[in-house]
Amino acid sequence: MALQAYPDVPLFRYPYTKLTNGQISSKLKPACESGPLSKGARESDLAGTSLRIMRDGADPMTWQFGQNGRLTMSGQEAGYGTLTMGHVTLISHLVPETMKGWTIVWDRQSDLATIFELWFGGDPSPHSREVNRAVWHGYVDKGDRKAPAERHSPTLRVEGRALSWTEDTGNRTIDYYPSVTYSHWVELDRLKEGRGYSAPADYIQISEDLYAYTRVEAEFSGLMHMYVMDANRLEQIGMRLGFNGADDLEYYLFRGKGEWLGQLARFEKFGDFSAEPLKTENAKKGERRIYRPLPTMDIMSEAEVAEVARNTSHAFTKPSGMAGNGTSPSQALSGRSFAVTYDDGPSMEYRFDSGDSLSWRESGSGRWMKARYNAWEVMPGAFIFGHFLEGKPDHDAHIVVADLDSGMATAFRGYLNTPYIANEAGAETFFGKIVGDGVADPGSGRHERTRDMLGQAFTWEYSPGVNSMHVYSTPNTVSWVIPTPTNHFGSEWSGTGDFIKIRDELYFNRWQEEACNGTLGTILINMRTMHDAGIGYHCDKEELSLGPVGAPARNAGKIDVGKFFPQV
Amino acid sequence: MEQTTSNRRAFLKTSAFAAAPIFAVAAPAAVMADDHGAKLARLEDQRAIEALHRKLMRHLNGAQLDSGLLARQGAIDLGGELLSIGHDPLHDLAVQLSEDGQLAWTKCECRLERHVELTGKSTIEKMARLQGQGMYRQNEVGLLTTEFRKGNTSWQIAQARLIDGRLSV
């Protein structure tokens, strides 16, 4: 694949170059001299001054600012850039002959400062190209007063918010901040498909108005994107550092204008404003909990998948942590028979022999095949059921929502042997109608994809200790965020989603955990009872499985992003 | 004197319950027929059992227990990692003494909290483990059944088990 600065494939499919430290040092060198680029004019009011910042837990640092965008730090001279927004100044530079850099957020009103120490080359990151950061809080030492007690500090105050930003670079981004330690961003211009991605983040409160935010696009480009935002004035000043998909260095400052898009609920106890729920004791510099999904995923060949499918596939035979709070399967389909004719898919005939066993055949001919199934009647007359299609080369499963009142049906077909990872589930969506005794003929009526879910967030309480929040961040993205025991939201990841309206307040959603555990998750959400029932399709080295999913929901709110995704 | 702390990571041995006697909450008829001295002795035994049961409950909540109060190693085994346990005040402690006065049994409806290991392989569980949440707190209700034996000098706990443990909702 030719290198692309902003890939036209999903980022989790793009083979980012494993840059060596030598390559990185070489690419950084010019920027060490020049400092960051910027669309605006260079600010020069620091020239001829020095800045000494006392850091908590580390040595003081001193910068001396010269003319023409040059500074000296620890005897080394470098180019720097600076932007000011109100009483906050952002200063950034790299350190010559190293893979390091510094970015300072200095509140000139309070003289409190936060320093972001940045470095490439790995440790703690496993990827040399990924920006590491350490965050130092402190104050500007002017020698004429004692140290202030106040500091900038990590905050949960941003948790749940979402804003869109338009930078002076022209780039437009939706930033969801659904967590205290992660964020979710949607590049609207440079990436195809309008997908959202998740990244570890910092949220630092500078004042009631001002917050510093960083994200590192970990497991992808490794770029760092950071800014100070003024929550009231909806302005930002920021810095971007790292290597894009073409391995070109991006190091620039930017200004931007924001638009407030909404606020999801927070779930911490009232009065709990703690903001470091995942802090690691005795962590090494820069260490934090970053979800890196591939190392914990079995990567299997097609032959291995076939062997597992042959020997250890099971459907609804085991309890699942994803359904500890699920509803009981329905027996109501037992004894019924009907066909489902999909417009762009197969015609499936069904005989429901019992409450958990059915017979199916395809296209009205051939041998009837037995399969174990489970069904849930999520709203009266509306069922979700799923089963394997034994004998299919890609180990298909159909997860079907059959609305026996309307006569419409929709299926998510799950399959394996995708071109990427053999045991990673692929999925496609079939729309169709049900033909059977007592079932209404919907004519040309079909369930349809919906934008009703766009921007919506639900929490799910699957089992004790197994909880998450879904954020349906774009028309094709499901993001999931994991709460801590204190109900701060923590780590987050995301994958491809699809959203189908079945009835008013009844939605059939799926997500694919691509390059991340490989599961296809499907749920039928009843927004009247605020409960779902669904089916997970998963293959690893132990088994190929269909298992139940079910949890009560809480409506965590909705972010208004519809206008960014015009329907075509 | 040697002290012992509770084994909080032991696992429930359900087979032990098969041999457990059937409880009879009411005092056996033989007790009613006993003479005054025998009645007094049984009442003293009952008080001793109740006191030892309180010590057991304190021990299960973290207090040390005189090892001489245990009839054998492994006598106390409530499974999993118990964090706390308390007598459900809606139910009385039931005490039964054997006719020969050498054995006694209690049953106690309890509410308890324990750590449960998150072992699943779903993405959520993997991410929870990343966050350091390999264990979660689970609230349960269950019946604590305890068997006591009369030693040479005092009553001892022969076996304490939790049966009918279930999630508290």
Side-chain angles (χ1 to χ4, degrees):
Chain A
M1 179 183 284
L3 294 181
Q4 297 172 288
Y6 287 84
D8 59 8
V9 296
L11 298 187
F12 50 80
R13 299 294 186 215
Y14 187 73
Y16 285 99
T17 310
K18 294 186 185 307
L19 292 174
T20 65
N21 289 351
Q23 290 172 310
I24 290 168
S25 295
S26 172
K27 289 170 182 284
L28 291 175
K29 196 166 186 175
C32 292
E33 292 301 314
S34 66
L37 302 174
S38 177
K39 287 283 184 187
R42 281 183 183 270
E43 294 182 5
S44 58
D45 75 322
L46 291 178
T49 68
S50 66
L51 184 66
R52 178 176 166 82
I53 297 180
M54 311 301 287
R55 295 186 293 168
D56 296 338
D59 293 337
M61 297 186 68
T62 302
W63 289 268
Q64 288 156 333
F65 300 97
Q67 302 298 321
N68 302 317
R70 308 287 293 172
L71 62 70
T72 303
M73 186 200 75
S74 302
Q76 288 184 294
E77 197 172 303
Y80 78 97
T82 179
L83 288 177
T84 298
M85 178 176 67
H87 51 86
V88 169
T89 295
L90 184 79
I91 304 162
S92 186
H93 71 95
L94 301 178
V95 180
E97 310 301 326
T98 74
M99 290 185 286
K100 290 187 66 171
W102 300 88
T103 295
I104 306 157
V105 174
W106 171 24
D107 183 343
R108 296 197 195 202
Q109 201 167 65
S110 66
D111 270 333
L112 300 180
T114 295
I115 301 173
F116 296 90
E117 181 178 356
L118 312 172
W119 68 98
F120 295 93
D123 194 17
S125 167
H127 310 295
S128 289
R129 66 179 299 146
E130 186 176 295
V131 175
N132 294 285
R133 102 287 177 254
V135 185
W136 304 101
H137 301 297
Y139 63 93
V140 173
D141 177 21
K142 292 189 169 171
D144 57 354
R145 59 171 187 159
K146 67 175 190 176
E150 299 80 17
R151 290 290 185 275
H152 300 162
S153 60
T155 183
L156 51 53
R157 293 285 308 283
V158 183
E159 187 185 18
R161 299 181 194 177
L163 291 116
S164 71
W165 293 104
T166 302
E167 300 170 5
D168 56 9
T169 58
N171 296 321
R172 298 177 308 143
T173 310
I174 298 171
D175 282 344
Y176 289 87
Y177 317 109
S179 158
V180 182
T181 67
Y182 258 71
S183 72
H184 185 81
W185 86 99
V186 185
E187 289 234 14
L188 292 169
D189 301 310
R190 294 186 289 197
L191 294 174
K192 298 282 189 298
E193 300 180 327
R195 287 171 179 269
Y197 300 95
S198 304
D202 296 300
Y203 299 97
I204 311 292
Q205 184 166 13
I206 296 168
S207 69
E208 182 61 20
D209 290 342
L210 300 167
Y211 300 85
Y213 157 79
T214 79
R215 70 163 178 267
V216 172
E217 297 173 12
E219 296 300 285
F220 304 132
S221 68
L223 275 156
M224 171 184 253
H225 193 81
M226 67 87 63
Y227 49 81
V228 178
M229 62 178 132
D230 185 321
N232 274 319
R233 296 164 189 82
L234 299 175
E235 296 173 350
Q236 65 176 178
I237 50 174
M239 185 280 300
R240 186 168 173 89
L241 172 65
F243 299 97
N244 61 29
D247 301 331
D248 296 327
L249 178 69
E250 294 191 10
Y251 182 41
Y252 59 82
L253 305 182
F254 59 89
R255 291 181 181 275
K257 297 281 189 187
E259 180 181 355
W260 189 87
L261 301 177
Q263 167 80 52
L264 302 178
R266 293 196 291 110
F267 292 94
E268 295 87 357
K269 280 184 183 171
F270 288 144
D272 181 359
F273 296 105
S274 62
E276 295 181 282
L278 300 181
K279 192 168 186 175
T280 305
E281 294 302 319
N282 303 315
K284 64 166 71 170
K285 189 169 74 173
E287 184 180 353
R288 56 179 162 173
R289 297 178 197 266
I290 296 179
Y291 181 52
R292 301 186 188 279
L294 275 176
T296 61
M297 178 185 178
D298 289 343
I299 307 295
M300 298 167 66
S301 67
E302 288 193 18
E304 290 172 318
V305 167
E307 186 176 351
V308 164
R310 186 167 52 248
N311 296 326
T312 53
S313 67
H314 68 85
F316 310 110
T317 55
K318 295 180 178 178
S320 168
M322 293 293 285
N325 296 325
T327 52
S328 298
S330 167
Q331 308 295 307
L333 292 180
S334 178
R336 296 198 66 147
S337 60
F338 54 74
V340 183
T341 304
Y342 298 110
D343 298 339
D344 296 309
S347 292
M348 301 290 296
E349 285 183 81
Y350 287 109
R351 293 175 184 161
F352 295 89
D353 304 318
S354 71
D356 58 12
S357 177
L358 59 75
S359 302
W360 63 271
R361 69 175 180 173
E362 197 171 339
S363 304
S365 62
R367 188 160 64 96
W368 284 91
M369 303 288 289
K370 287 273 189 191
R372 184 175 165 81
Y373 81 102
N374 268 186
W376 290 265
E377 189 172 8
V378 175
M379 198 177 266
F383 292 83
I384 180 171
F385 67 93
H387 63 95
F388 284 124
L389 281 74
E390 187 184 339
K392 293 285 185 184
D394 294 329
H395 318 290
D396 292 18
H398 280 190
I399 295 118
V400 184
V401 168
D403 186 338
L404 299 182
D405 289 358
S406 72
M408 291 185 276
T410 297
F412 294 142
R413 173 195 169 231
Y415 59 94
L416 301 176
N417 299 335
T418 66
Y420 313 107
I421 300 170
N423 59 309
E424 177 192 284
E428 60 182 333
T429 303
F430 299 142
F431 297 100
K433 68 175 188 176
I434 306 165
V435 179
D437 289 344
V439 180
D441 182 353
S444 60
R446 296 290 182 270
H447 298 143
E448 294 181 348
R449 287 199 166 82
T450 182
R451 296 295 180 92
D452 293 1
M453 291 283 104
L454 183 55
Q456 177 72 51
F458 292 117
T459 67
W460 300 108
E461 295 164 76
Y462 299 104
S463 290
V466 186
N467 307 299
S468 77
M469 177 170 72
H470 280 175
V471 182
Y472 305 127
S473 62
T474 84
N476 59 14
T477 307
V478 171
S479 180
W480 52 92
V481 200
I482 309 303
T484 69
T486 52
N487 293 343
H488 296 73
F489 280 105
S491 55
E492 179 177 11
W493 206 245
S494 45
T496 300
D498 201 4
F499 311 93
I500 314 300
K501 181 169 183 175
I502 304 300
R503 296 179 183 173
D504 289 344
E505 293 87 41
L506 187 65
Y507 296 94
F508 189 25
N509 297 356
R510 68 168 157 90
W511 69 94
Q512 291 165 252
E513 298 176 356
E514 296 130 319
C516 158
N517 220 21
T519 302
L520 166 65
T522 71
I523 49 176
L524 182 58
I525 304 171
N526 183 335
M527 289 183 67
R528 295 179 186 166
T529 62
M530 290 301 282
H531 208 294
D532 71 349
I535 294 167
Y537 170 70
H538 177 84
C539 182
D540 59 28
K541 288 185 174 174
E542 293 177 0
E543 61 193 6
L544 168 63
S545 65
L546 281 178
V549 176
R554 301 184 203 187
N555 188 336
K558 192 170 185 176
I559 302 298
D560 182 9
V561 293
K563 70 178 182 183
F564 299 102
F565 304 101
Q567 287 186 299
V568 290
Chain B
M1 185 170 287
E2 187 183 352
Q3 302 286 308
T4 182
T5 54
S6 80
N7 174 5
R8 293 177 154 223
R9 290 185 178 273
F11 290 91
L12 194 66
K13 296 179 179 63
T14 51
S15 60
F17 291 109
I22 298 169
F23 285 104
V25 179
V31 172
M32 308 300 288
D34 269 347
D35 61 17
H36 182 72
K39 281 183 181 174
L40 189 60
R42 294 184 73 82
L43 278 173
E44 286 174 346
D45 281 338
Q46 178 153 341
R47 296 294 169 264
I49 295 300
E50 289 168 353
L52 186 48
H53 189 272
R54 286 194 292 274
K55 285 184 180 176
L56 170 64
M57 294 298 280
R58 284 198 289 271
H59 173 58
L60 292 173
N61 284 288
Q64 291 193 318
L65 186 71
D66 179 347
S67 63
L69 297 176
L70 295 177
R72 61 180 178 84
Q73 273 198 326
I76 302 170
D77 187 348
L78 303 196
E81 187 177 350
L82 190 67
L83 295 171
S84 66
I85 185 168
H87 180 192
D88 184 345
L90 295 177
H91 302 272
D92 291 333
L93 176 71
V95 181
Q96 181 194 11
L97 283 162
S98 64
E99 289 199 25
D100 64 5
Q102 297 302 301
L103 292 172
W105 301 274
T106 59
K107 64 178 183 180
C108 176
E109 293 281 355
C110 291
R111 295 183 174 277
L112 57 143
E113 185 181 43
R114 66 166 91 240
H115 265 157
V116 176
E117 195 172 356
L118 204 58
T119 57
K121 55 191 178 183
S122 71
T123 304
I124 292 175
E125 287 160 285
K126 288 180 176 180
M127 293 173 79
R129 286 196 288 273
L130 166 82
Q131 295 187 170
Q133 298 156 222
M135 310 281 277
Y136 61 89
R137 286 170 178 256
Q138 180 165 289
N139 294 313
E140 299 177 21
V141 294
L143 187 67
L144 175 62
T145 65
T146 310
E147 180 179 322
F148 302 86
R149 279 186 198 148
K150 201 171 216 174
N152 291 333
T153 57
S154 64
W155 284 92
Q156 293 178 309
I157 298 166
Q159 179 171 280
R161 298 287 185 269
L162 190 74
I163 62 173
D164 291 342
R166 57 199 180 280
L167 293 182
S168 171
V169 292

Coordinates of all heavy atoms in Angstrom, one line a residue, chain A residues 278 289 291 296 462 464 467 480 482-485 490-491 513 517 540 542-543, chain B residues 118 121-133 135-138 167:
Chain A
L278 N -7.5 6.1 37.1 CA -6.7 5.0 36.6 C -5.2 5.3 36.9 O -4.4 4.7 36.3 CB -6.9 4.8 35.1 CG -8.3 4.4 34.6 CD1 -8.3 4.2 33.1 CD2 -8.8 3.2 35.4
R289 N -2.5 4.0 31.4 CA -3.2 2.8 31.0 C -3.8 3.1 29.6 O -4.8 3.8 29.4 CB -4.3 2.4 31.9 CG -3.8 2.0 33.3 CD -5.0 1.6 34.2 NE -4.5 1.6 35.6 CZ -4.1 0.6 36.3 NH1 -4.1 -0.6 35.7 NH2 -3.8 0.7 37.5
Y291 N -5.2 1.3 26.1 CA -5.8 0.1 25.6 C -5.1 -0.2 24.3 O -5.2 0.6 23.3 CB -7.3 0.2 25.4 CG -8.0 -1.0 24.9 CD1 -7.7 -2.3 25.5 CD2 -8.8 -1.0 23.8 CE1 -8.3 -3.4 25.0 CE2 -9.4 -2.2 23.3 CZ -9.2 -3.4 23.9 OH -9.7 -4.5 23.5
T296 N -3.9 -8.6 23.0 CA -4.7 -9.6 23.8 C -5.7 -10.3 22.9 O -6.6 -10.9 23.4 CB -5.5 -8.8 24.9 OG1 -6.4 -7.8 24.2 CG2 -4.6 -8.1 25.8
Y462 N -24.1 -5.2 32.1 CA -24.3 -6.6 31.6 C -24.3 -7.6 32.8 O -25.0 -8.5 32.9 CB -23.1 -6.9 30.7 CG -23.1 -6.1 29.4 CD1 -22.2 -5.0 29.2 CD2 -24.0 -6.3 28.4 CE1 -22.2 -4.3 28.1 CE2 -24.0 -5.5 27.2 CZ -23.1 -4.5 27.1 OH -23.0 -3.8 26.0
P464 N -22.3 -7.9 37.1 CA -21.5 -7.2 38.1 C -20.0 -7.1 37.6 O -19.4 -8.1 37.2 CB -21.5 -8.2 39.3 CG -22.8 -8.9 39.2 CD -23.0 -9.1 37.7
N467 N -19.5 -3.6 32.7 CA -20.4 -2.4 32.3 C -19.7 -1.6 31.2 O -18.5 -1.7 31.1 CB -20.6 -1.5 33.6 CG -21.1 -2.3 34.8 OD1 -22.2 -2.9 34.7 ND2 -20.3 -2.3 35.8
W480 N -17.1 2.3 22.6 CA -17.5 1.8 23.9 C -16.5 2.3 24.9 O -15.3 2.4 24.7 CB -17.7 0.3 23.9 CG -16.5 -0.4 23.4 CD1 -15.4 -0.9 24.1 CD2 -16.3 -0.8 22.0 NE1 -14.6 -1.6 23.2 CE2 -15.0 -1.5 22.0 CE3 -17.0 -0.6 20.8 CZ2 -14.5 -2.0 20.8 CZ3 -16.4 -1.1 19.6 CH2 -15.2 -1.8 19.6
I482 N -15.4 2.3 29.1 CA -15.5 1.4 30.3 C -15.4 2.2 31.6 O -14.4 2.9 31.8 CB -14.3 0.3 30.3 CG1 -14.2 -0.3 28.9 CG2 -14.4 -0.7 31.4 CD1 -15.5 -1.0 28.4
P483 N -16.4 2.0 32.4 CA -16.3 2.8 33.7 C -15.4 2.1 34.7 O -15.1 0.9 34.6 CB -17.8 2.7 34.2 CG -18.3 1.4 33.6 CD -17.6 1.2 32.3
T484 N -15.0 2.9 35.6 CA -14.2 2.5 36.8 C -15.2 2.2 37.9 O -16.3 2.5 37.9 CB -13.2 3.5 37.2 OG1 -13.9 4.6 37.8 CG2 -12.4 4.1 36.0
P485 N -14.7 1.6 39.0 CA -15.6 1.3 40.1 C -16.1 2.6 40.7 O -17.2 2.6 41.4 CB -14.7 0.6 41.1 CG -13.6 -0.1 40.3 CD -13.4 0.9 39.2
G490 N -13.4 5.5 31.8 CA -12.0 5.3 31.5 C -11.7 5.0 30.1 O -11.9 5.8 29.2
S491 N -11.1 3.8 29.9 CA -10.6 3.5 28.6 C -11.8 3.3 27.6 O -12.9 3.0 27.9 CB -9.7 2.2 28.6 OG -10.4 1.1 29.2
E513 N -15.7 -5.4 16.4 CA -14.5 -5.1 17.1 C -13.3 -5.5 16.3 O -12.6 -6.5 16.5 CB -14.5 -5.9 18.5 CG -15.7 -5.4 19.3 CD -15.9 -6.2 20.6 OE1 -15.1 -7.2 20.9 OE2 -16.8 -5.9 21.4
N517 N -10.2 -8.0 19.4 CA -11.0 -9.1 19.9 C -11.9 -9.7 18.9 O -12.3 -10.9 19.1 CB -11.8 -8.6 21.1 CG -11.9 -9.6 22.2 OD1 -11.0 -10.5 22.3 ND2 -12.9 -9.6 23.0
D540 N -12.3 -17.4 18.8 CA -10.9 -17.3 19.2 C -10.3 -18.8 19.2 O -11.0 -19.7 18.7 CB -10.7 -16.7 20.6 CG -11.5 -17.4 21.7 OD1 -11.7 -18.6 21.6 OD2 -12.0 -16.7 22.6
E542 N -10.1 -20.9 21.4 CA -10.9 -21.9 22.2 C -12.2 -22.3 21.6 O -12.6 -23.4 21.7 CB -11.1 -21.3 23.6 CG -9.9 -21.2 24.4 CD -10.2 -20.5 25.8 OE1 -11.3 -20.2 26.0 OE2 -9.2 -20.3 26.5
E543 N -12.8 -21.4 20.9 CA -14.2 -21.7 20.5 C -14.7 -20.7 19.5 O -14.2 -19.5 19.4 CB -15.1 -21.7 21.7 CG -15.2 -20.4 22.4 CD -15.9 -20.4 23.7 OE1 -16.2 -21.5 24.2 OE2 -16.1 -19.3 24.3
Chain B
L118 N -12.6 -11.3 37.6 CA -13.2 -11.0 36.2 C -12.3 -11.8 35.3 O -11.2 -11.5 34.9 CB -13.1 -9.6 35.9 CG -14.1 -9.0 34.9 CD1 -15.5 -9.2 35.4 CD2 -13.8 -7.5 34.8
K121 N -13.5 -13.2 28.6 CA -12.6 -12.8 27.5 C -13.3 -11.8 26.6 O -12.8 -11.5 25.5 CB -12.1 -14.0 26.7 CG -13.3 -14.9 26.1 CD -12.7 -16.2 25.6 CE -13.8 -17.0 25.1 NZ -13.3 -18.3 24.6
S122 N -14.4 -11.3 27.0 CA -15.1 -10.2 26.2 C -14.2 -9.0 26.3 O -13.3 -8.8 27.1 CB -16.4 -9.9 26.8 OG -16.3 -9.2 28.1
T123 N -14.4 -8.1 25.3 CA -13.6 -6.9 25.2 C -13.8 -6.1 26.4 O -12.8 -5.5 26.9 CB -14.0 -6.1 23.9 OG1 -13.9 -7.0 22.8 CG2 -13.1 -4.9 23.7
I124 N -15.0 -6.0 26.9 CA -15.2 -5.2 28.1 C -14.4 -5.7 29.3 O -13.8 -4.9 30.0 CB -16.7 -5.2 28.4 CG1 -17.5 -4.4 27.4 CG2 -17.0 -4.5 29.8 CD1 -19.0 -4.4 27.6
E125 N -14.4 -7.0 29.4 CA -13.7 -7.6 30.6 C -12.2 -7.4 30.4 O -11.4 -7.1 31.3 CB -14.0 -9.0 30.7 CG -15.4 -9.2 31.3 CD -16.0 -10.6 31.0 OE1 -16.4 -10.9 29.9 OE2 -16.0 -11.4 32.0
K126 N -11.7 -7.5 29.1 CA -10.3 -7.2 28.9 C -9.9 -5.8 29.2 O -8.9 -5.5 29.8 CB -9.9 -7.5 27.4 CG -9.9 -9.0 27.1 CD -9.5 -9.2 25.6 CE -9.4 -10.7 25.3 NZ -9.1 -11.0 23.9
M127 N -10.8 -4.9 28.8 CA -10.5 -3.4 29.1 C -10.7 -3.1 30.6 O -9.9 -2.3 31.1 CB -11.5 -2.6 28.3 CG -11.2 -2.7 26.8 SD -12.4 -1.8 25.7 CE -11.8 -0.1 25.9
A128 N -11.6 -3.8 31.2 CA -11.7 -3.6 32.7 C -10.4 -4.1 33.4 O -9.9 -3.4 34.3 CB -12.9 -4.4 33.2
R129 N -9.9 -5.2 32.9 CA -8.7 -5.7 33.5 C -7.5 -4.7 33.3 O -6.7 -4.5 34.2 CB -8.3 -7.1 33.0 CG -9.2 -8.2 33.6 CD -8.6 -9.6 33.4 NE -8.7 -10.0 32.0 CZ -9.7 -10.6 31.4 NH1 -10.8 -10.9 32.2 NH2 -9.7 -11.0 30.2
L130 N -7.5 -4.1 32.1 CA -6.5 -3.1 31.8 C -6.6 -2.0 32.8 O -5.6 -1.4 33.3 CB -6.7 -2.5 30.4 CG -5.9 -1.2 30.1 CD1 -4.5 -1.5 29.7 CD2 -6.6 -0.4 29.0
Q131 N -7.8 -1.7 33.2 CA -8.0 -0.6 34.2 C -7.7 -1.0 35.6 O -7.9 -0.2 36.6 CB -9.4 -0.1 34.1 CG -9.7 0.6 32.7 CD -11.1 1.2 32.6 OE1 -11.3 1.9 31.7 NE2 -11.9 1.1 33.6
G132 N -7.2 -2.2 35.8 CA -6.9 -2.7 37.1 C -8.1 -3.3 37.8 O -8.1 -3.5 39.1
Q133 N -9.2 -3.5 37.1 CA -10.4 -4.0 37.7 C -10.6 -5.5 37.4 O -11.6 -6.0 36.9 CB -11.6 -3.3 37.1 CG -11.6 -1.8 37.4 CD -12.3 -0.9 36.5 OE1 -11.9 0.2 36.1 NE2 -13.5 -1.4 36.1
M135 N -10.9 -7.6 39.6 CA -11.8 -8.1 40.6 C -13.0 -7.1 40.7 O -12.8 -6.0 40.4 CB -11.2 -8.3 41.9 CG -9.9 -9.0 42.0 SD -10.1 -10.8 41.9 CE -10.4 -11.1 43.6
Y136 N -14.1 -7.6 41.0 CA -15.2 -6.7 41.3 C -15.9 -7.1 42.6 O -15.8 -8.3 43.0 CB -16.2 -6.6 40.1 CG -16.9 -7.9 39.8 CD1 -18.1 -8.2 40.4 CD2 -16.4 -8.7 38.8 CE1 -18.7 -9.4 40.1 CE2 -17.0 -9.9 38.5 CZ -18.2 -10.3 39.1 OH -18.8 -11.4 38.8
R137 N -16.6 -6.2 43.2 CA -17.3 -6.5 44.4 C -18.7 -7.0 44.1 O -19.4 -6.4 43.3 CB -17.4 -5.2 45.3 CG -16.1 -4.8 46.0 CD -16.2 -3.4 46.6 NE -15.0 -3.1 47.2 CZ -14.9 -3.1 48.6 NH1 -15.9 -3.4 49.3 NH2 -13.7 -2.8 49.1
Q138 N -19.0 -8.1 44.7 CA -20.3 -8.7 44.5 C -21.1 -8.9 45.8 O -20.5 -9.4 46.7 CB -20.1 -10.1 43.8 CG -21.4 -10.8 43.5 CD -21.1 -12.0 42.6 OE1 -20.8 -11.8 41.4 NE2 -21.2 -13.2 43.1
L167 N -26.7 -14.0 44.2 CA -26.5 -12.5 44.1 C -27.6 -11.8 44.8 O -28.8 -12.2 44.8 CB -26.5 -12.1 42.6 CG -25.4 -12.6 41.8 CD1 -25.5 -12.0 40.4 CD2 -24.1 -12.1 42.4

